[in-house]
Amino acid sequence: MHPAFSVVFFTTATGAGYGLLALLGVLGPLGFVAPDFWPGFVGMGLALGLIAAGLLSSTGHLGRPERAWRAFSQWRSSWLSREGVASVATFIPAGVFGVGWVFLSRLDGWVAAAGVLAAVGATATVCMTGMIYASLKPIAHWHSPYTLPGYLIYSAMSGSVLLNAVLQAFSLGSKMLLAASALLILLGWGWKLATWRYNDQLEIPTNANTATGLSGGMVQSFEWPHTEENYLLKEMGFRIARKHSAKLRRITQALAFGLPILLLLAAFALPWPLAAALSALAAIAQFAGMLVERWLFFAEAKHTVMLYYGR
């Protein structure tokens, strides 16, 4: 019983990929990135590769992956379905933008318009991913004012660190982008600490009495509602020891926030190619740290249905 790695990888990879895509779609047409072949090829390839890998991994979380296409039909009522529609739709302007940049060496006109549309689609998709969890009232740790902004902040943070690494690799990096990446990491770090503080102080009003509608003494569960584990027990019944949670939080802070900031500050002061190497290490460390952060995001959440199992 533990959070599924497919969902952990999905939210981490797509968050970073959409963040990078959005920044490329906006900063490219604005002239912050030169319309050269290799930066466009590597940057767009990395963004779309992370998105595609994340989306493919998410199908491993389904009981019947071959029926994944049916999720697209529920877009009127389901944030999951809306996310799927938005993610696929975003590939269209992203593909046009990538072709115009990589093969035509253009970042103006219709290519710029496609880039902006790709950025809008990427941002909308991240919002819908966040809303999948923020809309779930039975899970108080997710149904909070911190969830949706957190998805946007972490996506922008991861995307900026990746963009800096790509541009530094081709000696196209700038002090402005390094500084912006460091500031976004600080913002993400502060938001994560505030989220943890909110969750740790969260008082959940629901108990076994209110869940069952019974009163007159404390209601206790003496037998499970069924004899075998189900989806909710596997995904929302995970119990993580406080000491392990504290340790993983420290690892998250070190890898996702602390180490990347130190590496970017060092890159700020050192010449190329040392700056490029440190920028790449910062991106790798942060991705690993965000995997731990996403695992904690799922592991520390508790579904109200656990009350029926005496938890």
PDB file of all heavy atoms in Angstrom, residues 23 36 43 74 97 245 264:
ATOM      1  N   LEU A  23       7.299  28.634 -21.052  1.00  0.00           N
ATOM      2  CA  LEU A  23       8.364  29.637 -21.096  1.00  0.00           C
ATOM      3  C   LEU A  23       8.947  29.766 -22.499  1.00  0.00           C
ATOM      4  O   LEU A  23       9.223  30.881 -22.965  1.00  0.00           O
ATOM      5  CB  LEU A  23       9.466  29.268 -20.095  1.00  0.00           C
ATOM      6  CG  LEU A  23       9.081  29.421 -18.620  1.00  0.00           C
ATOM      7  CD1 LEU A  23      10.190  28.873 -17.728  1.00  0.00           C
ATOM      8  CD2 LEU A  23       8.811  30.878 -18.285  1.00  0.00           C
ATOM      9  N   ASP A  36      17.613  29.567 -33.065  1.00  0.00           N
ATOM     10  CA  ASP A  36      18.619  28.638 -33.577  1.00  0.00           C
ATOM     11  C   ASP A  36      18.106  27.213 -33.528  1.00  0.00           C
ATOM     12  O   ASP A  36      17.209  26.890 -32.737  1.00  0.00           O
ATOM     13  CB  ASP A  36      19.919  28.763 -32.776  1.00  0.00           C
ATOM     14  CG  ASP A  36      20.544  30.148 -32.902  1.00  0.00           C
ATOM     15  OD1 ASP A  36      20.302  30.807 -33.937  1.00  0.00           O
ATOM     16  OD2 ASP A  36      21.252  30.565 -31.967  1.00  0.00           O
ATOM     17  N   GLY A  43      15.273  22.091 -26.560  1.00  0.00           N
ATOM     18  CA  GLY A  43      14.274  22.648 -25.654  1.00  0.00           C
ATOM     19  C   GLY A  43      12.885  22.085 -25.894  1.00  0.00           C
ATOM     20  O   GLY A  43      12.215  21.608 -24.969  1.00  0.00           O
ATOM     21  N   GLN A  74     -15.966  12.858 -20.744  1.00  0.00           N
ATOM     22  CA  GLN A  74     -16.605  13.410 -19.548  1.00  0.00           C
ATOM     23  C   GLN A  74     -16.148  14.829 -19.246  1.00  0.00           C
ATOM     24  O   GLN A  74     -16.173  15.260 -18.089  1.00  0.00           O
ATOM     25  CB  GLN A  74     -16.306  12.496 -18.351  1.00  0.00           C
ATOM     26  CG  GLN A  74     -16.655  11.044 -18.566  1.00  0.00           C
ATOM     27  CD  GLN A  74     -18.119  10.831 -18.889  1.00  0.00           C
ATOM     28  OE1 GLN A  74     -18.986  11.420 -18.228  1.00  0.00           O
ATOM     29  NE2 GLN A  74     -18.407  10.013 -19.892  1.00  0.00           N
ATOM     30  N   PHE A  97       4.577  25.270 -33.386  1.00  0.00           N
ATOM     31  CA  PHE A  97       5.629  26.144 -32.873  1.00  0.00           C
ATOM     32  C   PHE A  97       6.998  25.480 -33.013  1.00  0.00           C
ATOM     33  O   PHE A  97       7.978  26.120 -33.439  1.00  0.00           O
ATOM     34  CB  PHE A  97       5.342  26.459 -31.403  1.00  0.00           C
ATOM     35  CG  PHE A  97       6.366  27.327 -30.739  1.00  0.00           C
ATOM     36  CD1 PHE A  97       6.614  28.615 -31.191  1.00  0.00           C
ATOM     37  CD2 PHE A  97       7.082  26.863 -29.638  1.00  0.00           C
ATOM     38  CE1 PHE A  97       7.559  29.425 -30.576  1.00  0.00           C
ATOM     39  CE2 PHE A  97       8.022  27.668 -29.019  1.00  0.00           C
ATOM     40  CZ  PHE A  97       8.265  28.943 -29.487  1.00  0.00           C
ATOM     41  N   SER A 245       8.153  10.889   7.476  1.00  0.00           N
ATOM     42  CA  SER A 245       7.636  12.080   6.805  1.00  0.00           C
ATOM     43  C   SER A 245       8.582  13.258   6.993  1.00  0.00           C
ATOM     44  O   SER A 245       8.877  13.996   6.040  1.00  0.00           O
ATOM     45  CB  SER A 245       6.250  12.422   7.346  1.00  0.00           C
ATOM     46  OG  SER A 245       5.746  13.602   6.751  1.00  0.00           O
ATOM     47  N   LEU A 264      22.794  27.221  -8.781  1.00  0.00           N
ATOM     48  CA  LEU A 264      22.530  28.347  -9.672  1.00  0.00           C
ATOM     49  C   LEU A 264      23.317  29.585  -9.252  1.00  0.00           C
ATOM     50  O   LEU A 264      23.789  30.351 -10.104  1.00  0.00           O
ATOM     51  CB  LEU A 264      21.034  28.653  -9.713  1.00  0.00           C
ATOM     52  CG  LEU A 264      20.147  27.600 -10.388  1.00  0.00           C
ATOM     53  CD1 LEU A 264      18.698  28.060 -10.402  1.00  0.00           C
ATOM     54  CD2 LEU A 264      20.625  27.290 -11.807  1.00  0.00           C
TER      55      LEU A 264
END
